[in-house]
Amino acid sequence: MDPRPEPAFQLQWREALSVHNDAIDRDHRWLIELVDRIQSLILRRASLAQLTVALDELARYTEEHFTREEAIQRAAGYPHLGEHHRAHETLKRQLQDLTGRILAQPVDRTTLDALDDDTRRDLLSLLRSWLIDHIIKEDLQLRPWLERFPRDWNPADAPSFFPEKTDQTATPG
């Protein structure tokens, strides 16, 4: 079996990837850059230390992005928020699992050449899945919901378009 990883999949930001919200689009641009950086580290057979630092940055930024994206979805009344949240949780868990596998490498292994082929392939596969399946396929489903708002709409600055449901059995005041 060829020990080299599969070729990286590069995604360039373009307007067709926009969900029509500046905050989410800005996050997606940065996530694409982070994924491209990680793929580059894999292809250059960089050090495991460099890879784990980049994966840690991806994990931290992902947490911020998912929180922001779900808040915007909630405020916009996006009906698939629950499904989207579960997809986010799955991506985070997959990233944690792969990072754990990488960190479990013997201490004498310091370069990405030391990673087993399965771990290398699984990491590239997760990154591709993130870009293609999540950002392109799932997040773009938000666009029709977000096009009703200005691109710079931030639910922290404006009331929800759809008010929170209240208990219909409660008596007024």
Side-chain angles (χ1 to χ4, degrees):
M1 177 180 277
D2 188 351
R4 290 174 297 173
E6 301 173 33
F9 175 86
Q10 289 199 314
L11 182 64
Q12 297 285 327
W13 176 260
R14 57 190 186 281
E15 186 58 29
L17 297 175
S18 172
V19 296
H20 200 80
N21 180 276
D22 291 343
I24 294 174
D25 288 345
R26 193 171 32 256
D27 283 354
H28 286 169
R29 280 199 248 351
W30 183 241
L31 287 168
I32 288 168
E33 287 183 36
L34 286 173
V35 166
D36 284 345
R37 184 182 329 151
I38 292 168
Q39 290 186 129
S40 175
L41 290 171
I42 294 168
L43 293 176
R44 289 187 294 116
R45 302 236 193 290
S47 73
L48 285 174
Q50 288 174 304
L51 179 63
T52 55
V53 166
L55 289 172
D56 185 54
E57 183 177 359
L58 178 61
R60 280 193 325 265
Y61 197 78
T62 294
E63 188 67 41
E64 292 173 28
H65 165 64
F66 288 168
T67 298
R68 183 172 18 261
E69 186 175 84
E70 289 175 20
I72 290 170
Q73 290 174 2
R74 189 173 298 104
Y78 185 60
H80 306 290
L81 174 60
E83 297 162 41
H84 209 95
H85 173 75
R86 285 187 291 280
H88 285 167
E89 291 301 309
T90 298
L91 282 171
K92 288 191 301 188
R93 190 173 43 258
Q94 289 173 329
L95 182 59
Q96 289 170 345
D97 291 348
L98 272 169
T99 301
R101 284 170 51 188
I102 292 165
L103 291 173
Q105 296 296 309
V107 292
D108 62 331
R109 296 181 176 181
T110 59
T111 68
L112 289 176
D113 284 330
L115 283 182
D116 63 90
D117 291 342
D118 288 340
T119 300
R120 202 176 299 125
R121 264 194 306 276
D122 289 349
L123 181 55
L124 283 170
S125 176
L126 174 62
L127 298 175
R128 283 188 191 101
S129 172
W130 207 311
L131 293 177
I132 297 170
D133 295 333
H134 191 75
I135 291 177
I136 294 175
K137 293 179 182 175
E138 291 184 37
D139 285 349
L140 279 177
Q141 292 178 20
L142 295 168
R143 189 175 188 156
W145 290 91
L146 296 175
E147 285 178 330
R148 300 178 291 169
F149 303 94
R151 288 184 78 105
D152 64 349
W153 178 69
N154 182 342
D157 299 335
S160 172
F161 186 71
F162 296 98
E164 294 286 327
K165 289 184 179 179
T166 58
D167 182 2
Q168 300 297 321
T169 61
T171 55

